[in-house]
Amino acid sequence: MIANNLLKNKQRADKISKVISLSLSWLFSLVFFLLIIFIIIASIPGFKSYGLSIFGSEFDMSHNKASVWLPLCVTLLISGLAIIISSPIGIKTAIFIKYRLPMKYQKGVRIAIELLADIPSVIFGLFACDILGVVLKYIFQMSTSYNLVTAGFMLVFMVLPTIVSFSLTSLDNVDKSLISASMVLGNTKTRSIYKVCKKEASNGIIVGVIIAFARAIGETMAVSMILQSQGYDNIFHEGFMSVATSGLRSLGALIAANMFAESGGPNLQSLLFAFGLFMFIFVMILNGIAMYATKKRNKTRWMWWNKFEKRIGEFIVFIPTQIKIGWERLTYHSKTSKQDDLSKYFSDRIRKNRFVHVYTFYKMFWEIVSITLTIGFLAWITIDILHFGSIALAQPTCSVFSFTNNSTGQAFMNTILIIIIAIGIGLPLSLMIAIYLNEFAKEGWGKKTLFFFIDSLGATPSILFGMFGLIFFIQTMGMSADGSAGKSIIAGALTILIVILPVFIRTIQQALQSIPEDLKINSYALGASKWETIRKIILPTARQNITTAVILSIGRILAETAPLYLTSGLASSNSISLINPGQTLTTRIYAQIYTGNVNDGKNIMYECAIVTMLLVLLIILTVHVVLPAYYSYKQSRIESQNMLSYEEYEKDSEMECFKKENEKEILENEKTDVSEKLEEIKPPPKI
C-alpha cells in the first residue's frame, strides 16, 4: 500500500512538472505571435496614411511620402561594408587563434574577443563619434566624420566578435586528425588548414557571417549617434560618393530618431512600425538562410545543386589555378622522371615547390594582420574609455556616487533593479522551458516549432522588442504612472525579459543536454522518477553552466539600449519606482546627444561608459576565472572528503577485523581455561 502511494506521488509529480513546462513553452511561443500581431496592427494606420509611397522612390514626410527602400539601401550599404571587411578578418583571426597560438595563450585571447563582443553598442557609438570618426575623416579626407563610412567601420568591429566566435566554434568541432592525415599526403600545415579544416567548418562559418550581417542590419542606437540626416531624395540624386560621405540614417536609426519626434503624430509613429515590420521580415529571411545552411541535406537528392556548386567553384578558381600551375612550371624542373619513380617524383616535387612557401607566407601574413587589428582595436577602445572615463570621474560634476534625479548613481540603481526583475522572472521561466525541450518533448514538429520560435526571437533586432514593449506594456496595458503616454522601469524590465529569454533558454538547454545519459539511466534504475532525476541529478550537475547562463544574461541586459530607450525612457523621476521612468547606464549615454552643454554631456558619457565597461569586465572574469576556480575548488574538496571517508572506512574495517581477531583469541583462551578447570574438578573414576 505504501509502495503504491509512493509510486502514484512520483507519477503525479512527473505529470505536473510536464504540464507546467509545456504550458510555459507555448506561452513563450505566444509572445512570438503577439510581437508580430501587435506590430502589424500598429502599422496599419501608417500604410493607410502613406499608401503606396512606402514602396515608391521618394522620401518627404511633410508630403506623406516615405519610401522604405531608401533607408533600407543605406542600411544594406553600411552593413555590406561591415561584412565585406570583417568576414576575412574574423575568419583569419579564428584560424590564427585555433592553429597558431599555443594552448596556454588561447584562453586569454578568447576572453579578450568576448570582451569586445560584450561592449554595449552605445560605447561603440561614443568611440566612433569621438575618436574613430576623426581618424577616418583624416585618412579619407572627408568633410565630416558623421557619415556612412564611419558607421560602416564601426559596424566592422561590432560584428567582428560574432564571426570570430562562430568560426572558432566550427573549427573546434573539426576532427584534429584531418590535419595530420592531410600532411601525410604531402600537404603543408597551412594548406591542410585552409583546404581541409576550413572547408569542413564552412557551414558554421557561413552561419556566423549571416548572423553578423543580421546584427549589423538591426543595429540602431550606435548608428543613430553617427547618422542624423533624412534628406534621402537630394543626396541619392547626387551619386554614390555623396551617399557614402553623407549622414543619411539607416532604417533602425530612422525609427529610433522619429519615434518620439515632436513634429510627428500617430500616423508617423505607425509608419515607423511599418518600417520595423520590413526590418523584421528581412532579418527573418536571413535567419531562414542561416537555418538552411546548417540543415543536413541528402546529397543524392540535391545532386543538381552539388554539381552547380562544383561548376561555380571551378569557374572562380580557374584563373588562380592556372597562375599557380604556370608558376610551378617556371620554378620547378625535376630530374626524376614521372614514369620511372612516381613516389620519388612527387616527394621531390613537394619538397622543392617554391609556390608552397609563398602560399604559407601569404596566409600567415594576413592571419597576423587580422589578429593584430582585432586585438589592437580592443586595446584602443579599452584604453580610450579608461583614460577619458578616469578624467570624467575626477571632475567635480561626477555623479557616480550621487543618487539624485538624473544622476549616474541613480542610473546604476535603475540598471540593477531591471536586472533583478528580468533575471528573477527569466531564470525559472527559462529553466522550465529548457527542461521541457530537453527531457519531456519528443522529436517532431512541436519541438522543431519551439526551437524555430526561440531562434527567430533570438535573431530579432532589439529595437523591435522595444517597439513591442512600447505598444503592449505601456500603450495597451498602461504600465506607467502617466498611463499610455509615459514610461516606466517595469515596462523596460519586462521588455528586456523578452529580449534575454531566447538566449537564456538556449544556453540552459545546451547545459542540460551536456549531462551524460548514463547518469539518468542509473537514476532510473535505482527507482527515481523523471522529475526526481531532473531535480536531484541533472540540475545539480548542470549548476555551473546554469550559473554561467545567468551571468551572461546580466551582461546582455547591461549592453541593451534600444528596448529601454523606448520603454524606460531617457530621463529619471525624482524617486526610484517601478511605474516611474528611469534611465539606465546605456540610455544615459545616449541621452547626452540631446544635451545643450557638449562638455558636460561628454563627461557624463565617459563616466557611464567606464562604469559599464568595468561591470562587463567583472562579468567576463566571473564567468571565465572565478566560477571555474570555485567549482574546481569545490570538486577537489568533495574528492578529498571522499578520499578521507574511504581511508576512515578502511581504518574502521581494519579495527573491526582486529577486534574480531582479539575477541576470537580471548574466547579461545577462555575455552581453554574452562576446560582445564573442568579437568581439575573432574571426579576420580569409580573402582
Side-chain angles (χ1 to χ4, degrees):
M1 187 68 180
I2 297 174
N4 288 335
N5 291 335
L6 184 62
L7 182 61
K8 287 180 180 178
N9 290 335
K10 289 183 177 182
Q11 291 175 347
R12 190 181 299 112
D14 286 351
K15 190 173 182 179
I16 291 172
S17 59
K18 182 177 180 180
V19 170
I20 292 173
S21 59
L22 174 63
S23 303
L24 292 176
S25 299
W26 289 108
L27 179 64
F28 173 82
S29 303
L30 181 63
V31 173
F32 180 81
F33 287 109
L34 286 176
L35 188 144
I36 300 173
I37 291 169
F38 271 86
I39 291 179
I40 291 174
I41 292 173
S43 63
I44 291 175
F47 280 109
K48 289 181 178 178
S49 176
Y50 288 84
L52 294 177
S53 69
I54 295 176
F55 303 98
S57 58
E58 296 182 23
F59 194 97
D60 187 0
M61 288 184 176
S62 60
H63 293 85
N64 283 358
K65 294 180 180 179
S67 171
V68 70
W69 305 119
L70 299 181
L72 183 61
C73 285
V74 172
T75 305
L76 294 177
L77 182 61
I78 59 175
S79 302
L81 173 65
I83 291 301
I84 289 171
I85 298 175
S86 62
S87 294
I89 294 175
I91 295 169
K92 285 181 170 56
T93 299
I95 290 174
F96 184 88
I97 294 171
K98 176 66 180 176
Y99 297 109
R100 311 295 188 189
L101 275 182
M103 286 297 295
K104 60 181 179 180
Y105 299 123
Q106 283 191 22
K107 185 176 181 180
V109 176
R110 291 187 185 219
I111 292 174
I113 298 296
E114 189 169 330
L115 175 61
L116 184 60
D118 290 340
I119 295 175
S121 59
V122 287
I123 294 182
F124 276 103
L126 171 61
F127 177 77
C129 293
D130 203 39
I131 304 295
L132 181 63
V134 177
V135 174
L136 293 174
K137 176 185 174 183
Y138 176 77
I139 293 174
F140 295 107
Q141 295 297 306
M142 296 180 294
S143 59
T144 177
S145 59
Y146 292 86
N147 52 46
L148 269 62
V149 176
T150 303
F153 275 93
M154 178 194 67
L155 288 176
V156 167
F157 296 104
M158 290 185 70
V159 303
L160 186 59
T162 303
I163 298 174
V164 174
S165 178
F166 273 87
S167 300
L168 275 173
T169 303
S170 301
L171 293 171
D172 287 338
N173 294 329
V174 174
D175 190 357
K176 296 179 181 178
S177 63
L178 290 177
I179 290 184
S180 56
S182 177
M183 292 177 69
V184 166
L185 295 174
N187 287 315
T188 61
K189 181 180 178 180
T190 302
R191 189 173 289 275
S192 301
I193 291 170
Y194 281 89
K195 300 300 181 182
V196 179
C197 297
K198 182 185 171 184
K199 186 176 181 180
E200 187 72 16
S202 59
N203 278 352
I205 294 173
I206 291 170
V207 170
V209 172
I210 294 173
I211 291 176
F213 187 45
R215 183 189 174 186
I217 289 173
E219 181 51 48
T220 302
M221 308 312 288
V223 174
S224 65
M225 294 172 70
I226 301 170
L227 306 178
Q228 299 174 0
S229 172
Q230 294 181 187
Y232 296 97
D233 288 343
N234 297 331
I235 296 176
F236 264 85
H237 289 147
E238 293 176 3
F240 177 78
M241 290 305 298
S242 297
V243 173
T245 56
S246 70
L248 290 175
R249 284 174 172 147
S250 64
L251 196 56
L254 185 68
I255 294 171
N258 292 277
M259 185 60 72
F260 305 116
E262 295 180 0
S263 59
N267 289 336
L268 174 60
Q269 193 177 78
S270 180
L271 172 70
L272 299 177
F273 276 97
F275 285 175
L277 183 62
F278 276 99
M279 182 188 290
F280 179 80
I281 294 171
F282 198 84
V283 171
M284 285 301 102
I285 291 172
L286 290 176
N287 189 40
I289 293 172
M291 292 178 66
Y292 178 79
T294 56
K295 184 179 178 182
K296 293 182 179 179
R297 295 182 291 273
N298 189 343
K299 293 184 177 180
T300 57
R301 184 181 174 186
W302 299 91
M303 285 296 294
W304 64 272
W305 178 256
N306 295 329
K307 290 180 180 179
F308 176 74
E309 283 184 333
K310 185 178 179 181
R311 297 290 183 270
I312 292 295
E314 289 175 352
F315 175 77
I316 293 172
V317 301
F318 176 77
I319 295 177
T321 302
Q322 295 304 315
I323 293 173
K324 182 180 72 172
I325 293 171
W327 172 267
E328 189 175 341
R329 287 176 178 174
L330 290 173
T331 57
Y332 174 69
H333 301 284
S334 176
K335 296 180 180 179
T336 306
S337 174
K338 190 174 181 180
Q339 287 76 20
D340 296 341
D341 192 344
L342 187 63
S343 62
K344 187 177 179 182
Y345 172 81
F346 280 113
S347 175
D348 188 52
R349 175 174 172 268
I350 292 168
R351 189 172 61 255
K352 295 183 179 180
N353 186 2
R354 299 175 187 177
F355 187 80
V356 172
H357 303 295
V358 174
Y359 180 85
T360 301
F361 174 79
Y362 174 79
K363 292 295 185 182
M364 288 193 68
F365 171 78
W366 285 113
E367 288 173 19
I368 294 170
V369 170
S370 299
I371 189 69
T372 303
L373 286 173
T374 304
I375 301 300
F377 179 80
L378 174 63
W380 188 13
I381 190 173
T382 304
I383 293 171
D384 175 76
I385 298 300
L386 293 178
H387 172 67
F388 288 104
S390 301
I391 295 173
L393 292 176
Q395 298 296 319
T397 56
C398 174
S399 61
V400 172
F401 301 103
S402 173
F403 301 98
T404 57
N405 185 25
N406 283 335
S407 63
T408 302
Q410 191 184 40
F412 175 79
M413 295 304 297
N414 292 335
T415 305
I416 297 299
L417 184 58
I418 288 173
I419 288 173
I420 292 172
I421 295 171
I423 297 298
I425 301 174
L427 177 58
L429 190 60
S430 302
L431 193 60
M432 292 305 295
I433 295 173
I435 287 172
Y436 174 76
L437 290 170
N438 199 67
E439 301 298 329
F440 292 110
K442 296 180 180 179
E443 295 296 334
W445 68 269
K447 188 174 182 179
K448 290 179 181 179
T449 303
L450 284 173
F451 275 125
F452 172 76
F453 291 153
I454 293 169
D455 293 337
S456 297
L457 277 178
T460 302
S462 59
I463 184 68
L464 296 178
F465 289 108
M467 297 170 73
F468 172 73
L470 173 66
I471 193 173
F472 182 73
F473 295 120
I474 293 179
Q475 296 181 359
T476 303
M477 304 295 292
M479 291 185 177
S480 170
D482 297 326
S484 60
K487 305 288 184 295
S488 68
I489 292 176
I490 186 64
L494 294 176
T495 304
I496 282 293
L497 169 64
I498 302 173
V499 173
I500 66 170
L501 269 179
V503 179
F504 213 171
I505 293 169
R506 265 299 198 175
T507 309
I508 296 177
Q509 185 266 331
Q510 290 172 358
L512 299 180
Q513 194 175 23
S514 64
I515 304 299
E517 197 69 25
D518 294 342
L519 288 177
K520 303 177 188 178
I521 295 172
N522 293 336
S523 177
Y524 298 146
L526 293 172
S529 64
K530 182 177 280 291
W531 178 242
E532 284 180 324
T533 303
I534 293 169
R535 186 165 50 88
K536 297 180 180 180
I537 303 296
I538 296 175
L539 293 181
T541 307
R543 188 184 294 118
Q544 180 178 354
N545 291 330
I546 294 173
T547 307
T548 301
V550 172
I551 296 173
L552 290 175
S553 298
I554 293 173
R556 176 73 186 271
I557 295 171
L558 281 174
E560 286 297 339
T561 306
L564 297 171
Y565 155 67
L566 296 177
T567 53
S568 293
L570 295 180
S572 295
S573 61
N574 293 325
S575 61
I576 297 176
S577 174
L578 292 180
I579 59 174
N580 288 336
Q583 61 179 196
T584 60
L585 290 170
T586 52
T587 57
R588 182 167 170 78
I589 294 174
Y590 184 76
Q592 304 315 308
I593 64 176
Y594 300 107
T595 188
N597 193 324
V598 177
N599 291 329
D600 288 347
K602 183 178 177 182
N603 287 332
I604 292 172
M605 283 181 170
Y606 275 107
E607 72 179 35
C608 292
I610 190 172
V611 172
T612 308
M613 282 281 288
L614 291 176
L615 288 174
V616 169
L617 182 60
L618 178 64
I619 288 170
I620 291 174
L621 291 177
T622 302
V623 170
H624 292 284
V625 179
V626 177
L627 282 181
Y630 169 74
Y631 282 103
S632 177
Y633 170 72
K634 195 173 180 180
Q635 184 66 27
S636 63
R637 281 197 63 184
I638 293 172
E639 291 175 356
S640 61
Q641 287 175 358
N642 291 338
M643 185 63 70
L644 287 173
S645 300
Y646 180 72
E647 290 176 356
E648 289 175 0
Y649 172 76
E650 284 190 330
K651 287 180 181 179
D652 292 341
S653 300
E654 290 177 359
M655 288 296 294
E656 263 324 299
C657 293
F658 182 70
K659 285 180 181 179
K660 287 181 179 179
E661 289 178 358
N662 284 343
E663 289 175 357
K664 187 177 180 182
E665 188 176 348
I666 292 169
L667 188 61
E668 288 178 353
N669 291 335
E670 288 178 352
K671 286 182 179 180
T672 305
D673 292 341
V674 169
S675 60
E676 289 177 354
K677 288 180 181 179
L678 288 173
E679 286 291 334
E680 290 177 359
I681 63 173
K682 188 177 181 183
K686 294 181 181 181
I687 299 173

